[in-house]
């Protein structure tokens, strides 16, 4: 019996009928209740934290407090909705607004404009407290705080190091390299120097030149992940006083908040995020059909890379992945698309080792994924040349892509995994 499935494609949908008996996995995020009263939820976790006393007992009157917050590339965290409550709680603990600063964790991203500060943190927060920005290339802004066990020198923003109390904020989602976002990422790369970021991120590459990427630095993996372990050591050198992180529903609303010890509370948040977005599957399949979920998640290949990384986790080594990605802005951003101009993965890797960037890492990872398993992309006709340069096949329709995949799989009774929201769902093989 045939069953219809829909896949987001830009602002529209592509539909295909698949034999129901062959579809063994339908990967969707689990329903999660949205937080209805954000202020009450935040107050609750600040007063009943994990691994520390309540915030009011951690902070003493007279402390100079600095809050580390994500930049506009993480606007989905919606700091503007929960930071006012955090400020009010600090006020009640005896810390006036004049003794509170917020530092934008830019990492190596560009500076915010005033308007972007308002957009990201809200007018109330921008009016009430001092807003600083940590921009990694500005060497005079960073001070040495120590070295990790892997020999990485740690330089952190001097305003953060000199504060009496540091509070980490952010959002927890699966992360392509570090396992999960949030937590210690506010420090590394958030308020770290450019060289410190480079040193840490280089751990994502294989120890042997020419072998590409470390297999340990991947989505949802914390154990034996050298990048993550190094980040933890860097955070420990700073010893943040407190953490407030958000976890989200599949629709992007707040599912819950965690607060308290910068590591213990964050781990609990990772567990919750994995319960929502980590989807158990019975096994890998011959064919995976995945979309990012439509615009804006498939606006370009850089955004679509999350879907590629997640769908790769569900396909057999002898299988095929079909991707439904409109990619109306295929050449954006240039610091990603330019990496596909190298003639070989080896050249791409050598260039990345000389100057690590996250877009470069993703481009290299996509190259190795496409080399290991054939990927057929249903996209706009004008994107054909770019996808071929990226090592992928193209098709003008889902039906054409399935016909192409069947020839590669070369068996009639093949199994299928469907991932209609592949950007946000992480398949986990049941053991």
């Amino acid at each position: 019996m045939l069953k219809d499935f829909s896949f987001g494609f830009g602002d529209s949908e592509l539909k295909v009928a698949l034999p129901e008996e062959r579809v063994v996995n339908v990967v969707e995020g689990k329903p999660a209740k949205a937080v209805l009263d954000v202020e009450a939820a935040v107050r609750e976790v600040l007063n009943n934290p994990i691994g520390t006393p309540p915030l009011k007992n951690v902070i003493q009157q007279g402390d100079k407090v600095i809050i580390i917050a994500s930049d506009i590339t993480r606007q989905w965290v919606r700091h503007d909705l929960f930071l006012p409550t955090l400020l009010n709680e600090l006020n009640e603990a005896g810390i006036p607004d004049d003794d509170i600063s917020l530092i934008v964790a830019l990492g190596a991203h560009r500076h915010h404009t005033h308007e972007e500060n308002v957009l990201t943190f809200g007018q109330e927060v921008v009016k009430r407290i001092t807003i600083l920005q940590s921009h990694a290339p500005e060497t005079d802004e960073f001070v040495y705080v120590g070295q990790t066990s892997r020999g990485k020198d740690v330089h952190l923003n001097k305003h953060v190091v000199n504060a009496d109390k540091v509070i980490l904020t952010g959002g927890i989602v699966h992360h392509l390299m570090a396992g999960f976002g949030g937590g210690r990422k506010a420090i590394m790369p958030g308020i770290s120097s450019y060289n410190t970021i480079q040193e840490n991120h280089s751990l994502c590459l294989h120890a042997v030149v020419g072998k590409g990427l470390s297999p340990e630095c991947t989505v949802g993996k914390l154990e034996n992940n050298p990048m993550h372990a190094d980040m933890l050591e860097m955070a420990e050198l700073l010893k943040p006083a407190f953490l407030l992180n958000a976890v989200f529903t599949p629709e992007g609303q707040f599912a819950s908040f965690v607060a308290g010890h910068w590591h213990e509370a964050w781990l609990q948040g990772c567990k919750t995020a994995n319960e929502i977005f980590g989807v158990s599957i019975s096994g890998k399949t011959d064919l995976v059909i995945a979309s990012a979920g439509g615009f804006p998640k498939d606006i370009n290949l850089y955004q679509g890379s999350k879907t590629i990384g997640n769908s790769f986790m569900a396909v057999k080594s002898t299988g095929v992945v079909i991707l439904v990605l409109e990619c109306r802005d295929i050449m954006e951003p240039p610091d990603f698309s330019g990496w596909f101009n190298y003639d070989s993965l080896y050249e791409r890797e050598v260039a990345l080792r000389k100057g690590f960037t996250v877009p470069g890492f993703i481009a290299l990872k996509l190259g190795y994924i496409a080399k290991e398993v054939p990927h057929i992309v249903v996209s706009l006709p004008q994107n054909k040349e770019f996808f071929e340069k990226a090592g992928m096949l193209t098709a003008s329709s889902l039906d054409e892509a399935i016909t192409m995949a069947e020839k590669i799989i070369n068996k009639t009774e093949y199994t299928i995994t469907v991932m209609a929201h592949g950007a946000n769902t992480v398949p986990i093989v049941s053991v």
Side-chain angles (χ1 to χ4, degrees):
M1 182 182 292
L2 294 177
K3 183 177 180 180
D4 289 334
F5 290 90
S6 297
F7 299 88
F9 184 76
D11 295 320
S12 61
E13 287 187 338
L14 300 184
K15 295 185 178 182
V16 68
L18 300 171
E20 193 171 6
E21 68 277 8
R22 288 200 214 147
V23 179
V24 296
N25 301 309
V26 177
V27 180
E28 288 287 359
K30 301 177 193 69
K33 287 184 179 178
V35 172
L36 298 178
D37 188 335
V38 173
E39 181 180 357
V42 172
R43 283 186 178 274
E44 172 66 24
V45 296
L46 295 180
N47 287 290
N48 295 280
I50 298 166
T52 67
L55 178 65
K56 61 189 175 188
N57 296 337
V58 172
I59 307 295
Q60 282 84 42
Q61 193 168 3
D63 280 342
K64 300 292 185 184
V65 176
I66 195 161
I67 300 166
I68 306 178
S70 311
D71 72 351
I72 196 166
T73 66
R74 303 289 187 274
Q75 192 186 347
W76 47 265
V77 176
R78 295 307 307 271
H79 283 85
D80 57 311
L81 297 181
F82 64 81
L83 282 178
T85 304
L86 176 59
L87 297 185
N88 293 340
E89 285 285 309
L90 288 170
N91 292 165
E92 289 176 23
I95 311 296
D97 286 347
D98 287 347
D99 286 343
I100 307 170
S101 300
L102 180 148
I103 190 161
V104 187
L106 296 169
H109 298 164
R110 64 165 177 79
H111 280 91
H112 274 198
T113 63
H114 172 74
E115 291 73 23
E116 286 171 332
N117 281 339
V118 173
L119 193 62
T120 309
F121 310 119
Q123 184 69 56
E124 178 186 347
V125 171
V126 173
K127 273 188 171 182
R128 286 177 61 177
I129 62 174
T130 300
I131 307 292
L132 306 169
Q133 303 196 45
S134 182
H135 189 227
E138 295 176 6
T139 53
D140 292 346
E141 287 289 294
F142 299 88
V143 293
Y144 178 77
V145 296
Q147 191 178 73
T148 69
S149 62
R150 291 164 188 79
K152 309 301 184 186
D153 288 338
V154 183
H155 292 82
L156 302 179
N157 189 282
K158 63 185 180 183
H159 299 288
V160 179
V161 174
N162 293 334
D164 295 314
K165 298 288 167 58
V166 179
I167 299 175
L168 310 184
T169 65
I172 303 175
V173 293
H174 286 85
H175 190 273
L176 190 66
M177 300 142 61
F180 289 89
R184 73 282 184 251
K185 276 189 95 265
I187 299 165
M188 159 51 63
I191 52 96
S192 299
S193 73
Y194 186 78
N195 286 340
T196 298
I197 295 170
Q198 293 288 308
E199 287 287 298
N200 172 262
H201 284 19
S202 69
L203 294 167
C204 295
L205 298 170
H206 200 285
V208 179
V209 177
K211 290 198 172 182
L213 311 173
S214 165
E216 306 293 347
C217 298
T218 190
V219 177
K221 181 174 170 52
L222 297 178
E223 191 175 355
N224 297 322
N225 182 327
M227 176 188 181
H228 161 66
D230 208 56
M231 292 165 78
L232 287 183
E233 290 187 32
M234 292 181 178
E236 184 59 44
L237 288 169
L238 182 65
K239 291 184 169 48
F242 208 79
L243 170 140
L244 173 62
N245 273 190
V247 182
F248 303 88
T249 70
E251 296 75 33
Q253 297 173 288
F254 294 124
S256 66
F257 292 91
V258 289
H261 187 272
W262 65 269
H263 186 217
E264 291 177 38
W266 172 75
L267 282 178
Q268 182 59 49
C270 292
K271 183 179 177 184
T272 303
N274 203 46
E275 286 170 355
I276 296 171
F277 295 102
V279 182
S280 181
I281 61 174
S282 58
K284 297 185 178 185
T285 55
D286 302 300
L287 176 63
V288 175
I289 307 176
S291 75
F295 183 86
K297 293 184 175 69
D298 69 350
I299 189 172
N300 51 45
L301 182 58
Y302 189 60
Q303 293 300 320
S305 65
K306 296 174 186 174
T307 301
I308 297 172
N310 290 342
S311 58
F312 180 65
M313 298 171 73
V315 70
K316 291 180 180 178
S317 59
T318 54
V320 178
V321 175
I322 293 174
L323 300 164
V324 179
L325 299 170
E326 185 196 54
C327 295
R328 64 184 68 170
D329 293 337
I330 190 64
M331 298 307 294
E332 296 293 330
D335 58 348
F336 170 72
S337 58
W339 285 90
F340 295 96
N341 292 328
Y342 290 99
D343 292 333
S344 67
L345 290 177
Y346 178 77
E347 289 179 23
R348 202 180 296 175
E349 177 190 337
V350 169
L352 190 62
R353 288 181 185 275
K354 288 179 181 175
F356 193 100
T357 71
V358 173
F361 171 87
I362 292 173
L364 184 62
K365 187 178 182 76
L366 294 189
Y368 274 99
I369 286 175
K371 185 178 179 182
E372 193 164 331
V373 171
H375 282 62
I376 304 166
V377 188
V378 181
S379 188
L380 299 173
Q382 60 264 34
N383 296 339
K384 179 180 173 66
E385 183 181 349
F386 186 90
F387 278 113
E388 288 177 348
K389 195 189 289 187
M392 301 177 192
L393 304 168
T394 60
S396 58
S397 69
L398 258 175
D399 287 333
E400 181 189 353
I402 290 171
T403 300
M404 292 168 65
E406 287 175 340
K407 288 179 181 176
I408 298 169
I409 296 168
N410 198 27
K411 62 181 181 182
T412 53
E413 298 302 313
Y414 59 86
T415 53
I416 305 171
T417 294
V418 170
M419 299 178 63
H421 296 91
N424 295 336
T425 48
V426 180
I428 300 168
V429 179
S430 303
V431 263

